Amino acid sequence: MLKKIITKFLLFFILCSYFSNLKAQVKDDIILKIRETNTLKFNFIQISNGLTESGFCSLKRPHFLKCEYNSKNQKQLIVNKKKLVIFHKRYNKAYNYPLSKSFFTQILDKKAFEKIILNGDLNENNEKYIVNCNLEEKGFIDFYFNKQDLSLVGWDLISINNNKLSFEIKDIIKNEIIENKFFNLPEFN
């Protein structure tokens, strides 16, 4: 009887160790992909407060992001170094937001993104790896990575204000040259 208990315990310990090492390897592989990616261009679908929006984004690490929404207001989200601006081209109106309170600082900066992945809990479903993260000063975010090529394919977040947002990434193009001037803030009233 004691032999069976010890055998089951050892088998359980070996399996736990194996799966722990496997999860660590997946995280290491995701981090390698992050390090290899300097620019991204992609289509997106965003759901926030019951509103579904779509568009196209260009990202250049470590400081730049520009998303152009398919909307009648010709909405743009622009991150340019330390500024986060939502610009409505149709009305020539811009709204400034503190970049430090957004998740973009972690996503755009490779080292910060790596740290989040390392500290997050790795799970998986049939198609994706999911890294669950709790950033106490910002909220909760789940990052999704394609199991085939480990590309970032989206995230779900809940801010500290309990706002929920889902962001799905499609049709990814990696490491094309994007000039910094593409991310210049527009002139507005």
Side-chain angles (χ1 to χ4, degrees), residues 104-122:
F104 292 123
T105 53
Q106 280 77 22
I107 295 169
L108 292 173
D109 183 282
K110 288 182 187 184
K111 294 214 182 287
F113 201 17
E114 289 175 20
K115 185 177 177 183
I116 288 174
I117 300 305
L118 284 173
N119 293 331
D121 294 323
L122 180 70

Side-chain angles (χ1 to χ4, degrees), residues 148-166:
Q148 302 303 316
D149 65 3
L150 302 177
S151 295
L152 177 67
V153 292
W155 56 81
D156 290 330
L157 66 86
I158 301 173
S159 72
I160 57 172
N161 301 329
N162 213 25
N163 293 324
K164 296 177 184 175
L165 180 132
S166 291

Side-chain angles (χ1 to χ4, degrees), residues 25-73:
Q25 183 59 51
V26 169
K27 283 184 177 184
D28 288 345
D29 292 345
I30 288 171
I31 287 170
L32 182 61
K33 280 289 188 184
I34 292 168
R35 287 179 183 164
E36 293 173 348
T37 305
N38 295 313
T39 66
L40 290 173
K41 293 181 177 181
F42 54 87
N43 292 310
F44 70 88
I45 298 171
Q46 173 181 302
I47 303 171
S48 178
N49 299 321
L51 176 64
T52 300
E53 299 176 286
S54 64
F56 184 80
C57 288
S58 299
L59 176 151
K60 183 175 182 180
R61 290 193 166 114
H63 301 296
F64 302 104
L65 174 70
K66 184 175 186 179
C67 296
E68 297 175 329
Y69 289 74
N70 300 326
S71 69
K72 65 180 180 180
N73 295 339

